Amino acid sequence: MNNQFLLDNLRSIPDFPVKGINFRDVTTLFKNPECVKIMLDELYELYKDKGITKIVGIESRGFVMASALAVKLGAGIVLCRKPGKLPAKTVQESYTKEYGIDTIEIHEDAIDENDVVLLHDDLLATGGTMKAALNLVNKFHPKKTYMNFLIEIVNEGLNGREAFGDSIEITTLLEV
């Protein structure tokens, strides 16, 4: 899609959080109401006919558009968080990151086999966090699962899509 207005409003911060990383800061998109409207409208058009019943927002920037889209689609929102942040019983998935192991979790009653689930996060780089989120959601055996990112990094050799193969439909709004 690569809407030029969105690209023009996306801030890049060189050498953050470490030297050599060009951080894509989606907060500049979130603070601009026209950007939020464009992103929400594009997401709605992508998913309005998919029968989505639950949207899993990945902590924490994934919560923003996942919540807005859930309202527009009439779907529920499921929070995928780091351990210790959710109050009821959870299901967890651990995964390897560049600097060690991390874990994400969702409530054990968040999804069932009748749900059509959209996993949503702000950025696809290596795909590690979202792969863990997909594995976590698959434990619930939903009817169908889709995946969306606001931004996909395609020009830096990270190859995030390769983490998923052809097993799931993936959409992104912006490629950088």
Side-chain angles (χ1 to χ4, degrees):
M1 295 185 178
N2 269 5
N3 181 294
Q4 192 60 49
F5 185 74
L6 296 178
L7 288 169
D8 290 345
N9 280 275
L10 178 64
R11 177 169 46 199
S12 293
I13 302 172
D15 298 321
F16 181 84
V18 296
K19 188 167 180 59
I21 301 293
N22 189 17
F23 186 82
R24 297 323 194 283
D25 181 12
V26 295
T27 65
T28 54
L29 299 176
F30 294 157
K31 75 177 184 177
N32 183 318
E34 184 61 24
C35 289
V36 173
K37 181 182 182 328
I38 290 168
M39 290 186 296
L40 183 56
D41 289 348
E42 288 186 8
L43 287 169
Y44 179 74
E45 286 302 314
L46 285 169
Y47 294 104
K48 67 182 180 185
D49 298 322
K50 302 282 189 185
I52 305 294
T53 59
K54 301 278 176 59
I55 302 177
V56 176
I58 311 300
E59 186 166 327
S60 65
R61 292 177 299 269
F63 296 166
V64 177
M65 295 309 296
S67 297
L69 183 59
V71 170
K72 196 159 182 172
L73 290 176
I77 180 83
V78 175
L79 303 182
C80 183
R81 302 211 60 191
K82 295 176 182 170
K85 303 287 186 178
L86 296 171
K89 290 181 84 175
T90 62
V91 177
Q92 295 186 336
E93 181 75 19
S94 294
Y95 60 103
T96 304
K97 294 176 63 170
E98 304 88 318
Y99 309 112
I101 295 176
D102 211 345
T103 302
I104 54 174
E105 60 186 19
I106 61 177
H107 281 133
E108 70 177 8
D109 61 354
I111 298 169
D112 66 43
E113 66 277 351
N114 295 313
D115 282 316
V116 176
V117 176
L118 172 61
L119 289 141
H120 172 78
D121 205 359
D122 66 322
L123 183 81
L124 174 58
T126 64
T129 303
M130 186 59 89
K131 180 66 172 169
L134 177 61
N135 292 343
L136 185 57
V137 166
N138 284 341
K139 291 177 181 180
F140 294 90
H141 308 287
K143 269 198 247 186
K144 179 88 173 151
T145 307
Y146 299 93
M147 188 178 298
N148 171 264
F149 301 88
L150 298 178
I151 302 164
E152 180 178 4
I153 298 176
V154 295
N155 296 324
E156 296 175 18
L158 298 174
N159 304 318
R161 277 185 188 252
E162 290 179 8
F164 309 101
D166 295 329
S167 66
I168 188 166
E169 180 182 310
I170 302 170
T171 61
T172 60
L173 299 187
L174 300 173
E175 292 181 348
V176 296

